Amino acid sequence: MKKISNWFCAGRSARYGSDVAGIVRCMLCALAAIAAAMVHRWLGYEFPHQGLRALEAGVWSALPSTLEHALAAFGVLSLLVLPVCWTRSTARCRMFACFIGGAAYFALTTMGWDYQQYRATHEAAQLAQMAGDVAGLLCAVYWLTRAQAVRLRHRFA
């Protein structure tokens, strides 16, 4: 019988963040996503009639908050998974960490706060925010677990 550590840590390495410098770059990318969500929200409160906000609201009224939720979910899940897996960056190990972190994020934010707000207001924007959370989580899972291409080496004797 295989050890549990072998089950989750075997296989090809993830494409991004397989060494310490790569992990730091990935964490900076996740922090940039969270910072972009925060700046986007601040601009919405400070300048509600700004050109970009007006364009977003013209396309769909729930688009600004959906984008913010997607960026925040992407950044938070990435910041949860990268330090946990650190240099054991196999696709299976990260998928397991993404499953646990994503389930916790989904339970707290999407089914916790956003769903309670939806039950109180019955606004479609709350459902769009929940969809943004799911989209951000799925993007983070894809980004973190994408495996490197295996290069085949042929030996000629």
Side-chain angles (χ1 to χ4, degrees):
M1 186 169 172
K2 287 185 175 181
K3 290 182 180 179
I4 290 180
S5 63
N6 289 340
W7 177 257
F8 290 110
C9 295
R12 297 187 298 176
S13 292
R15 182 177 205 149
Y16 301 110
S18 57
D19 59 347
V20 176
I23 290 171
V24 170
R25 283 192 300 271
C26 289
M27 290 176 91
L28 288 175
C29 182
L31 285 172
I34 292 173
M38 290 171 49
V39 166
H40 190 262
R41 177 155 291 191
W42 175 77
L43 286 174
Y45 285 125
E46 193 66 30
F47 306 107
H49 304 293
Q50 166 202 10
L52 179 62
R53 274 293 189 184
L55 177 67
E56 289 172 343
V59 171
W60 185 34
S61 63
L63 184 63
S65 60
T66 304
L67 289 174
E68 291 162 5
H69 277 252
L71 285 171
F74 175 83
V76 168
L77 184 62
S78 299
L79 286 178
L80 286 173
V81 169
L82 287 168
V84 169
C85 294
W86 200 242
T87 56
R88 296 180 77 168
S89 60
T90 60
R92 274 194 229 173
C93 184
R94 283 199 182 165
M95 181 61 83
F96 183 64
C98 282
F99 177 73
I100 293 172
Y105 186 89
F106 186 78
L108 286 175
T109 62
T110 305
M111 296 310 292
W113 299 317
D114 291 339
Y115 182 69
Q116 294 303 322
Q117 288 177 356
Y118 172 72
R119 284 184 54 194
T121 61
H122 294 289
E123 290 180 4
Q126 294 298 326
L127 291 176
Q129 290 174 4
M130 293 166 68
D133 284 336
V134 171
L137 291 174
L138 290 176
C139 287
V141 168
Y142 176 74
W143 181 59
L144 292 171
T145 61
R146 205 165 125 197
Q148 289 181 1
V150 177
R151 293 182 181 166
L152 299 175
R153 293 183 183 178
H154 296 285
R155 287 190 170 184
F156 297 103

